[in-house]
Amino acid sequence: MSKPVSDPAPPDADALNRAIRELWARADGPLSEDEQRIYQALVLKWTAAQEGDVDAVA
């Protein structure tokens, strides 16, 4: 019998913070439209992780 596939754990606030910082470091200036969308999604997930809302982070 095979084991059910479980969802990976959502990223924690520290991991999301690192991703945000890396995004800005790679951009080396203003964010492109795609980078802005990624940034906004990361910030929303970071906020949810800070507040303990695991459903919004996943």
Side-chain angles (χ1 to χ4, degrees):
M1 185 183 281
S2 63
K3 292 184 351 184
V5 177
S6 62
D7 291 330
D12 65 0
D14 290 335
L16 292 162
N17 187 26
R18 281 191 301 276
I20 291 168
R21 290 177 183 271
E22 289 170 7
L23 177 65
W24 277 104
R26 283 192 312 267
D28 195 34
L31 298 176
S32 69
E33 287 184 30
D34 285 338
E35 290 168 329
Q36 287 176 21
R37 283 191 287 277
I38 293 167
Y39 172 75
Q40 290 170 358
L42 287 170
V43 169
L44 288 174
K45 289 180 179 185
W46 177 84
T47 302
Q50 286 288 99
E51 294 172 354
D53 186 359
V54 293
D55 291 332
V57 175

